[in-house]
Amino acid sequence: MELSDTYQLSNGVRIPILGFGTWQTPDGEIAFESVKKALRVGYRHIDTAAAYGNEASVAKAIKASKIPRNKIFLTTKLNSDALDYDSAKQAIDRSLSKMNLDYIDLLLIHWPNPLATRPHFEERNAAVWQAMEAGVGEGKIKSLGVANFQSHHLDALYQSAKIKPVVNQIYCNPSDQQETIVAYNRAHDILTEAYSPLGTGEIFRIKALEDLARKYQHTVAQIVLRWHLQKGYLPLPKSVTPTRIEENIKLFDFSLQDDDMAFIDRLHGALLPHKFPDQVQF
């Protein structure tokens, strides 16, 4: 396993096995510099979203890197104000315009059940997905996926989708492993991407991980990110600190033994759980 390795998505597209997250990264200089640093040290998958408010700065950093566009995998997400076919089409064009790009590698529906259309998520998601499929046909999007979807959201989407989702990006870390939806993803050939793979920093409260860090002579973050990779997930670590951005890609000079993987698996439930998508207030 190397940083340059990829997963093959169910549509045949290849995606780098490690991504750089930008959730909670402020727009402007901070987002620009952190993404530029990430690209400089070797990341080739950058994850953003309309809701993050930093798409323009992310794209500016990609252009400043001078790395050919086809060597970078860019993900963004439709916000919860994309409620029907027309508003989703407009949102796609808005993201492309903000980023001054011709195409998006992977576009996700960010949340499956917005307040504005609750409880009728089925109709909303079907209409938004249709607009995303149109974007694929127009060459604006390479691959389609979802974020924060549970099995009942995906079951409903499958009733009308012509293009199947290739990714489900979920909150996932050793404390909240979401085993049920991960198993569903696997059964339906959907790649599990892990946002907040370090539990938004909460994972460092689990002192037992410090023993593993000492054993392997790596940081707690590296231990946990390596766990994600060995589980077959695609983690999206986020940082704005240059040393940590670089540190978080140094995952390929060691591997976790089976008993240590099992130990980390047993940490499920140690901290607070994810937000339930049918209850989020946006």
Side-chain angles (χ1 to χ4, degrees):
M1 192 183 296
E2 299 177 355
L3 179 60
S4 59
D5 286 350
T6 58
Y7 292 119
Q8 181 169 303
L9 300 172
S10 61
N11 63 353
V13 171
R14 304 203 73 92
I15 184 171
I17 62 173
L18 183 69
F20 183 71
T22 62
W23 179 39
Q24 298 179 328
T25 299
D27 192 33
E29 195 68 13
I30 294 176
F32 174 76
E33 290 295 339
S34 63
V35 172
K36 190 168 73 169
K37 171 67 175 180
L39 293 168
R40 187 182 304 125
V41 301
Y43 287 92
R44 291 297 179 267
H45 175 191
I46 309 297
D47 181 272
T48 183
Y52 301 169
N54 58 20
E55 286 176 312
S57 296
V58 166
K60 181 181 175 184
I62 289 173
K63 291 183 184 298
S65 75
K66 305 298 184 183
I67 299 168
R69 173 68 184 90
N70 64 359
K71 301 297 184 184
I72 297 173
F73 194 102
L74 178 66
T75 298
T76 194
K77 310 174 193 73
L78 293 181
N79 202 359
S80 292
D81 57 359
L83 298 172
D84 53 26
Y85 182 89
D86 289 337
S87 60
K89 288 276 285 182
Q90 292 165 11
I92 292 167
D93 289 340
R94 191 159 53 245
S95 285
L96 285 167
S97 177
K98 280 183 182 178
M99 295 188 287
N100 192 25
L101 294 175
D102 295 325
Y103 70 92
I104 297 160
D105 291 282
L106 175 63
L107 182 67
L108 311 180
I109 299 179
H110 203 155
W111 286 96
N113 199 351
L115 272 174
T117 53
R118 194 173 297 171
H120 306 292
F121 70 84
E122 299 94 341
E123 294 90 338
R124 179 262 181 173
N125 291 340
V128 169
W129 196 259
Q130 185 182 9
M132 293 164 66
E133 290 176 331
V136 172
E138 295 162 359
K140 297 175 180 178
I141 309 162
K142 302 294 186 184
S143 299
L144 303 181
V146 297
N148 300 295
F149 273 50
Q150 296 297 309
S151 59
H152 61 290
H153 304 122
L154 283 161
D155 285 341
L157 185 62
Y158 279 131
Q159 298 303 309
S160 60
K162 295 181 175 65
I163 298 174
K164 305 304 182 187
V166 296
V167 160
N168 188 5
Q169 186 180 125
I170 60 172
Y171 181 82
C172 182
N173 60 71
S175 176
D176 191 350
Q177 296 173 35
Q178 296 213 60
E179 293 99 329
T180 300
I181 188 59
V182 167
Y184 181 103
N185 292 344
R186 190 175 294 116
H188 290 79
D189 205 10
I190 298 172
L191 176 65
T192 295
E193 285 190 343
Y195 75 83
S196 296
L198 305 176
T200 61
E202 290 294 299
I203 206 72
F204 300 106
R205 291 169 47 199
I206 301 176
K207 297 301 181 184
L209 289 170
E210 295 176 5
D211 294 332
L212 285 182
R214 283 189 290 271
K215 174 180 177 179
Y216 288 95
Q217 296 186 314
H218 281 74
T219 67
V220 168
Q222 289 167 337
I223 295 296
V224 173
L225 293 171
R226 181 71 197 194
W227 172 84
H228 280 281
L229 291 175
Q230 289 183 215
K231 298 285 283 188
Y233 308 154
L234 195 163
L236 299 164
K238 169 260 178 185
S239 180
V240 298
T241 304
T243 54
R244 289 177 183 164
I245 291 171
E246 187 165 4
E247 180 182 279
N248 287 343
I249 65 168
K250 295 181 178 179
L251 310 175
F252 305 99
D253 59 348
F254 76 107
S255 60
L256 298 172
Q257 298 171 359
D258 290 346
D259 58 339
D260 292 325
M261 287 290 294
F263 171 78
I264 297 174
D265 287 347
R266 291 194 295 272
L267 296 174
H268 184 77
L271 301 170
L272 295 175
H274 63 282
K275 293 179 180 177
F276 295 95
D278 293 320
Q279 299 173 9
V280 294
Q281 297 299 303
F282 46 79

